[in-house]
């Protein structure tokens, strides 16, 4: 067997088409935006706001703030989770529990001092889950750290607290993992309500096998089944006995990934393929050698063909001019050589971990953000997530997280270029870098459509890059609120994932005018009519949407009717809008904009909805219900927006009977 | 040439001030919970390491990483005059941005703690290019430059990964959130860069490279 040439040699002279096509004069962030030059300050920074009301700010307190060092990262606020009238705010030093009895004014209930970072939180029933990745994390929650490289006192992995008494949560379980837990995701099992799964994403180095048995490094070639890389851990939590939580699976969907295309546009089009094939056929007719590489036929350069031929002959102990038989043999062997090289390349470049996984159990889907890949997973069997598709993008440094739209027909992936500590929204930082990439999902495949980045330039003392967010439940539209660290929060509409557009924002000036003092929003999420922001250095912020040219009063009011009982950011649940006049009015406007209702229908339905709003007596309500049903029947069933309107009118009628 | 971390010399862990509200009994239960009653000013500041102290292993890591990163900037500075490969230039620009920001961050961290950012200036750290390799790189053009740059930068980055691993294996190291995050981010970013550069190399013809050590063996390539 001849020694295989390195892939580099096989690919000699191949162009990299997509990279060459990348725009050289890409648009830059605006320096004239009101957010571009805000005055600095820890608690008195200048503010710019658009289409949002800033309702409250609750600063960090007690052991969760260092008054002498506002940027003390050991006390940075992190992720949020919500349950009933309670909000859980993660922190590198533990968890802060706030009452939302007055949702506009969070009130501190208690603080769990328990260091270990990142302290991302999730909540399910009476259990609170927390991610621990730092080597200072201790089983006993102590703050003294763990100086020994190997120690029985260290905990990196998942903590579980019983929060039956919010005043005094108790740690009831810990699950040690080989690479700690940078983030985690709760995954309910639709067939087993007594159990809960937790997907654990660890991105740190592998712990010593002396500290935790079974932990080991190694590439897929060296240690495919035993390596702590190339996997996520699946923890099963028996809800009645959380102390028995344990790792039940190492999900290895990161193995055997094809080499990621450098960008969506690098995937050759059918026309390009046809053209390349024609060129290859013509070259073959002239006696040239051709191969198929990454979906495209290519002509093997003469020098390389000669080199491989010489090697083949050398292996057979011959020298001199190759014979016709040698050429035939090479022709037969080339596909095999290419396949071997592609397999080798895939093994070498696969991601070693996921940063974050967002699950959407009602759709049986998950989005994994895994180093150089965005991955679509089938989670219909939650213990055994299965890869459906993967995407790559040369502009993405580090795939960070995913957010699906409500129908799971599109997904927003974020790129946390630099890990969140760097100023990456300066006018010099490209708009495709540290941004969101938007994809349509079609037939279980990802199709990239656009980028979205904070449109306002930020300063060099403001850490800024794409980070966590959630959907804002505007009916009929896909809207997301997203944290950009010191870039503030940005709300954008991505109903058309090819043309995302900002519709609201809030931003403060930097923590410090002269130094980069880490701060800004880690997470911003919608919860029951309010937007809550976890600010690394400035505590918790509360916002309400204000109607504007971008959002009608009806749209805002309809969003505010949505009620959730538990929100965990990495666990998406389907938004359902209760029937209401404002909901139907929102759908009516959207149907009107889509020209899916006639002028007469519009007039009738507008009047009927006004009557419905004013109906007080049972007789009035019955009468208007009949009119709503009649109006619904009159609508076309051939258009999505008129069908949605009709359905909402019928549902509204049902509430009036 | 490789400098060892000074971890072995560290005898005393940074001082810790206990939480007055977190008694040993609380700690034995597995955590400390603080009811939200007292005013913030009445509570002690919980600082595992104050902003003015630096663990020697952490400080040494940064003092070594600064010249390591600075060499990466010397390498990226060669790019504009030597290749028009747009995809590669984007990759190099992104690496340059990341390394420049991290140098600034590390200098600031050290200065705040009274440590000399230039303590290891001029030393050749793990994975760094030898003068011969730098000269080889500077002398190349076009695809040969791109191929060589990637090979040497992979060698350089793998050195940084080794330095980060050594940090985590050192007594008392990375026990503060900011240092832990820096080292973890360096690992994550540079691992990604390596994958990208390997992918790019796979599209180019290989060219001869200068090995790290004098060619005592069979003149193997340097990565």
């Amino acid at each position: 067997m001849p020694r295989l040439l390195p892939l580099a040699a096989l690919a000699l002279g191949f162009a990299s088409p997509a990279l060459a096509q990348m725009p050289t004069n890409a648009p830059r962030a605006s320096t004239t935006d009101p957010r571009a030059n805000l005055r600095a300050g820890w608690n008195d920074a200048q503010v710019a706001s658009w289409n949002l009301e800033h309702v409250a700010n609750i600063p960090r307190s007690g052991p969760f703030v260092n008054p002498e060092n506002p940027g003390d990262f050991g006390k940075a606020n992190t992720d949020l989770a919500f349950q009933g009238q309670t909000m859980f705010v993660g922190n590198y030093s533990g968890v802060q529990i706030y009452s939302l009895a007055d949702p506009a004014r969070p009130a501190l209930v208690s603080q769990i001092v328990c260091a270990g970072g990142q302290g991302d939180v999730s909540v399910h029933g009476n259990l609170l889950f927390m991610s621990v990745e730092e080597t200072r994390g201790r089983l006993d929650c102590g703050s003294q750290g763990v100086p020994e490289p190997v120690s029985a006192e260290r905990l990196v992995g998942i903590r579980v607290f019983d929060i039956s008494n919010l005043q005094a949560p108790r740690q009831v379980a810990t699950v040690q993992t080989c690479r700690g837990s940078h983030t985690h995701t709760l995954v309910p099992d639709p067939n087993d309500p007594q159990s809960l799964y937790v997907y654990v994403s660890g991105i740190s180095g592998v712990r010593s096998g002396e500290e935790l048995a079974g932990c080991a490094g190694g590439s897929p070639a060296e240690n495919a089944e035993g390596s702590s890389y190339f996997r996520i851990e699946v923890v099963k939590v028996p809800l009645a006995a959380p102390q028995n939580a344990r790792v039940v699976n190492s999900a290895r969907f990161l193995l055997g990934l094809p080499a990621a295309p450098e960008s969506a546009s690098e995937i050759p089009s059918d026309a390009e393929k046809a053209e390349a094939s024609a060129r290859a056929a013509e070259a073959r007719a002239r006696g040239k050698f051709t191969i198929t590489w990454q979906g495209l036929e290519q002509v093997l350069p003469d020098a390389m063909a000669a080199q491989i031929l010489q090697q083949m002959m050398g292996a057979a102990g011959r020298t001199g001019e190759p014979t016709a038989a040698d050429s035939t043999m090479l022709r037969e062997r080339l596909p095999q050589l290419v396949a071997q090289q592609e397999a080798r390349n895939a093994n070498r470049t696969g991601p070693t971990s996921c940063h974050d996984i967002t699950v959407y159990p009602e759709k049986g889907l998950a989005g994994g953000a895994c180093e150089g890949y965005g991955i679509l997973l089938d989670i219909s069997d939650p213990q055994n997530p299965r890869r459906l598709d993967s995407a790559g993008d040369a502009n993405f440094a580090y795939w960070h997280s995913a957010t699906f739209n409500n129908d799971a027909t599109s997904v927003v992936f974020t790129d946390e270029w630099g890990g969140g500590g760097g100023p990456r929204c300066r006018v010099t930082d490209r708009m495709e870098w540290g941004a969101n990439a938007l994809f349509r999902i079609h037939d279980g495949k990802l199709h990239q459509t656009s980028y979205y980045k904070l449109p306002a330039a930020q300063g060099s003392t403001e850490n800024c890059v794409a980070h966590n967010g959630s959907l804002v439940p505007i009916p009929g539209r896909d809207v997301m609120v997203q944290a950009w660290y010191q870039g503030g929060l940005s709300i954008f509409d991505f109903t058309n994932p090819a043309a995302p557009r900002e519709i609201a924002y809030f931003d403060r000036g930097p923590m410090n005018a002269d130094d980069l003092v880490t701060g800004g929003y880690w997470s911003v999420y919608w919860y029951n009519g309010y937007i809550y922001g976890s600010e690394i250095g400035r505590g918790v912020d509360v916002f309400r949407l204000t109607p504007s040219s971008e959002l009608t009063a009806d749209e805002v009011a309809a969003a505010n009717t949505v009620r959730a009982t538990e929100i965990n950011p990495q666990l998406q649940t389907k938004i359902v809008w209760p029937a209401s006049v404002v909901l139907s009015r929102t759908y009516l406007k959207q149907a009107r904009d889509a020209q899916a209702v006639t002028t007469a229908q519009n007039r009738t339905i507008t009047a009927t909805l006004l009557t419905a709003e004013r109906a007080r007596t049972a007789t009035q309500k019955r009468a208007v219900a009949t009119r709503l049903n009649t109006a619904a029947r009159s609508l076309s069933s051939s258009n999505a927006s008129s069908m949605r309107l009709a359905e909402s009118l019928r549902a509204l009628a049902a509430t009036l009977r | 040439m490789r400098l060892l971390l000074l971890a072995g010399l560290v005898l005393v862990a940074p001082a810790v001030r206990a939480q007055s509200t977190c008694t040993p009994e609380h700690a034995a239960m597995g955590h400390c919970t603080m009811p939200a009653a007292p005013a913030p000013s009445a509570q002690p500041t919980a600082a595992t390491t104050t902003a003015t102290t630096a663990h020697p292993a952490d400080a040494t890591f940064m003092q070594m990483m600064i010249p390591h990163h600075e060499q990466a900037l010397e390498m990226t500075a060669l790019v504009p005059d030597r290749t028009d490969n747009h995809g590669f230039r984007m990759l190099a620009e992104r690496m340059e941005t990341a390394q420049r920001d991290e140098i600034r961050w590390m200098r600031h961290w050290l200065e705040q703690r009274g440590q000399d950012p230039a303590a290891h200036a001029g030393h050749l750290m793990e994975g760094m290019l030898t003068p011969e390799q730098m000269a080889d790189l500077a002398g190349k053009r076009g695809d040969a430059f791109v191929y060589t740059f990637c090979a040497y930068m992979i060698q350089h980055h793998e050195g940084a990964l080794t330095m980060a691993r050594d940090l985590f294996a050192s007594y008392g190291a990375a026990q503060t959130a900011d240092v832990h995050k820096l080292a973890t981010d360096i690992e994550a970013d540079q691992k990604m860069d390596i994958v990208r550069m390997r992918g790019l190399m796979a599209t180019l013809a290989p060219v001869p490279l200068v090995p790290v050590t004098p060619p005592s063996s069979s003149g193997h390539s340097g990565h």
Side-chain angles (χ1 to χ4, degrees), chain A residues 6-9 11-14 19-20 22-24 61-63 65-69 72-75 92 108-114 133-136 139-141 143-149 154 159 161 167-171 179 203-205 229 262 345 348-350 352-353 371-372 393-399 415-424 426 428-430 433 460-461 514-516 518, chain B residues 13-14 16-19 21-22 26-41 43-52 55 85-102 104-105 108 112-113 143 147 165 167-181 184-189 191-196 198-206:
Chain A
L7 177 61
L12 177 71
F14 292 3
L19 295 178
M22 281 199 333
T24 44
S61 63
V65 62
N66 178 353
E68 285 141 37
N69 179 10
D72 183 345
F73 204 67
K75 295 167 188 309
Y92 274 77
L108 192 61
V109 176
S110 62
Q111 297 173 321
I112 306 172
V113 178
C114 188
E133 70 168 355
E134 294 177 320
T135 49
R136 67 176 171 141
L139 273 168
D140 64 7
C141 281
S143 302
Q144 64 269 47
V146 186
E148 297 83 7
R154 176 169 289 123
R159 296 186 194 277
F161 295 94
Q167 297 278 348
R170 280 183 311 122
Q171 182 173 292
R179 300 180 66 193
I203 63 166
S204 303
Y229 292 114
E262 281 292 283
N345 203 32
R348 199 176 53 193
T349 59
T352 67
S353 53
E371 296 183 355
D393 185 333
N395 286 317
F396 261 42
Y398 195 83
W399 294 65
D415 172 18
E416 195 188 29
W417 174 31
R424 301 290 160 79
R426 295 162 297 195
T428 50
D429 297 314
R430 291 165 191 274
W433 291 2
S460 59
T461 67
D514 305 317
D515 290 326
L516 197 160
T518 308
Chain B
V16 176
R17 273 188 282 161
Q19 292 291 314
T21 41
C22 290
H26 278 104
M29 284 164 56
H31 63 282
C32 293
T33 302
M34 305 186 55
S41 58
Q43 299 186 0
T45 305
T48 50
T49 305
T50 70
T52 49
H55 192 282
N85 182 323
H86 184 68
F88 169 73
R89 286 179 64 146
M90 293 295 99
L91 185 66
E93 183 184 322
R94 199 158 58 196
M95 282 192 278
E96 182 184 332
T97 307
Q99 307 254 330
R100 196 182 295 286
D101 288 347
E102 279 167 6
R104 181 182 153 138
W105 191 94
H108 188 246
Q112 272 193 324
R113 289 158 180 79
D143 283 354
Y147 185 90
R165 270 196 299 275
L167 175 76
F168 286 118
S170 303
Y171 186 91
Q175 290 290 300
T176 62
D178 51 1
V179 178
H180 191 281
K181 179 167 169 55
T184 307
D185 286 345
I186 286 176
E187 278 186 323
D189 279 4
K191 256 173 30 196
M192 285 299 311
D193 288 344
I194 289 171
V195 169
R196 285 262 151 72
R198 283 193 179 139
L200 190 53
M201 285 174 77
T203 68
L204 299 169

Side-chain angles (χ1 to χ4, degrees), chain A residues 181-493:
Chain A
S181 171
H182 188 65
T183 67
H184 69 268
T185 307
L186 301 189
V187 192
D189 184 347
N191 300 315
D192 178 10
Q194 301 308 311
S195 299
L196 179 72
Y197 291 95
V198 185
Y199 291 170
V200 179
S201 298
I203 63 166
S204 303
V206 178
R207 291 165 84 170
S208 162
E210 291 170 45
E211 185 169 277
L212 184 62
C215 297
S219 69
E222 296 156 355
N223 190 6
E225 288 308 307
S227 176
S228 306
Y229 292 114
F230 314 101
R231 69 173 189 189
I232 63 162
E233 280 126 331
V234 180
V235 171
K236 186 173 186 176
V237 185
L239 292 171
Q243 68 277 10
N244 296 333
R246 64 186 178 90
V247 176
V248 292
N249 188 19
S250 290
R252 296 192 174 275
F253 55 76
L254 297 173
L255 284 178
L257 267 168
E262 281 292 283
S263 78
S265 57
E266 187 170 338
I267 299 166
S269 68
D270 289 344
E272 282 172 313
K273 280 185 192 170
E275 194 188 326
S277 295
R279 264 203 313 271
E282 183 267 331
R284 263 196 308 275
R286 287 188 284 114
K288 304 277 184 191
F289 296 93
T290 61
I291 58 171
T292 302
W293 180 246
Q294 294 183 341
L296 216 56
E297 282 197 83
Q298 314 257 349
V299 181
L300 195 66
D302 290 346
M304 203 190 301
Q307 201 179 351
I308 303 174
L309 274 169
Q310 288 302 325
Q311 288 195 1
M312 280 170 48
M313 291 164 60
R318 292 190 289 117
T319 53
E321 283 298 304
T323 64
D326 290 327
S327 296
T328 306
M329 189 172 160
L330 173 61
R331 225 175 272 286
E332 282 166 1
R333 274 207 185 159
L334 271 175
Q336 189 194 345
L337 295 180
V338 168
Q340 284 169 348
Q341 286 298 355
E342 281 186 321
R344 206 164 294 195
N345 203 32
N347 266 347
R348 199 176 53 193
T349 59
T352 67
S353 53
C354 291
H355 178 279
D356 213 319
I357 296 171
T358 296
V359 295
Y360 196 167
E362 285 146 306
K363 301 285 182 185
L365 286 176
C370 310
E371 296 183 355
Y373 292 80
I375 296 180
L376 193 64
L377 296 167
D378 174 347
I379 55 154
S380 39
D381 173 5
Q383 189 171 324
N384 295 293
R386 195 171 59 82
R387 190 175 78 228
L388 291 173
D389 194 21
S390 61
D393 185 333
N395 286 317
F396 261 42
Y398 195 83
W399 294 65
H400 174 272
S401 54
T403 305
F404 293 96
N405 72 340
N406 201 41
D407 293 335
T409 54
S410 65
V411 59
V412 177
F413 276 105
T414 60
D415 172 18
E416 195 188 29
W417 174 31
R424 301 290 160 79
C425 304
R426 295 162 297 195
V427 69
T428 50
D429 297 314
R430 291 165 191 274
M431 293 302 274
E432 302 86 0
W433 291 2
N436 301 333
L438 283 73
F439 292 79
R440 286 186 207 277
I441 302 171
H442 187 61
D443 291 337
K445 299 282 177 200
L446 295 165
H447 305 274
Q448 192 167 350
T449 53
S450 65
Y451 296 99
Y452 177 78
K453 188 173 183 180
L454 186 79
Q458 301 287 300
S460 59
T461 67
E462 291 172 287
N463 54 308
C464 177
V465 75
H467 212 229
N468 295 343
S470 77
L471 295 183
V472 178
I474 307 295
R477 293 168 67 175
D478 295 326
V479 174
M480 181 170 170
V481 57
Q482 186 181 17
W484 290 83
Y485 290 106
Q486 292 206 59
L489 72 84
S490 174
I491 303 182
F492 62 99
D493 182 312

